Amino acid sequence: GHLDESIQGLGDALNGGQVNSLRSKLKNASSQLDKGNSGAAANTLDAFANEIQATINSGRLSDADGSAILAYVRRVIGSIKAG
């Protein structure tokens, strides 16, 4: 959905492997949610957020781009945990 499109748009800042890694985490989280595994989905999204933070810290992703994605992911995680 929206988040996956945002990640695809980072192709200029990140290499294909990095984009694929992020997209894989999103797909895994979605699959876990479909199975009713909300804890696993939240954990996968936490790993996704950590990876985004690492790309910001390394300078590969701008703080502006990364912060918007992180804010969105954290809202999703909060919604999952609130259940």
Side-chain angles (χ1 to χ4, degrees):
H2 172 73
L3 199 50
D4 189 57
E5 291 168 11
S6 295
I7 297 308
Q8 284 181 303
L10 298 177
D12 292 341
L14 305 177
N15 68 40
Q18 293 163 330
V19 171
N20 286 341
S21 175
L22 290 166
R23 292 184 73 207
S24 176
K25 286 178 178 66
L26 292 180
K27 185 175 181 180
N28 185 5
S30 178
S31 176
Q32 292 296 336
L33 280 177
D34 288 344
K35 296 174 187 174
N37 298 331
S38 58
N43 289 342
T44 301
L45 289 175
D46 279 333
F48 174 89
N50 290 340
E51 190 170 343
I52 289 289
Q53 188 62 58
T55 64
I56 295 168
N57 293 347
S58 69
R60 289 174 293 183
L61 187 60
S62 73
D63 190 47
D65 288 341
S67 293
I69 293 169
L70 283 175
Y72 185 79
V73 170
R74 289 184 177 132
R75 283 195 306 270
V76 172
I77 293 169
S79 295
I80 291 170
K81 289 183 177 179

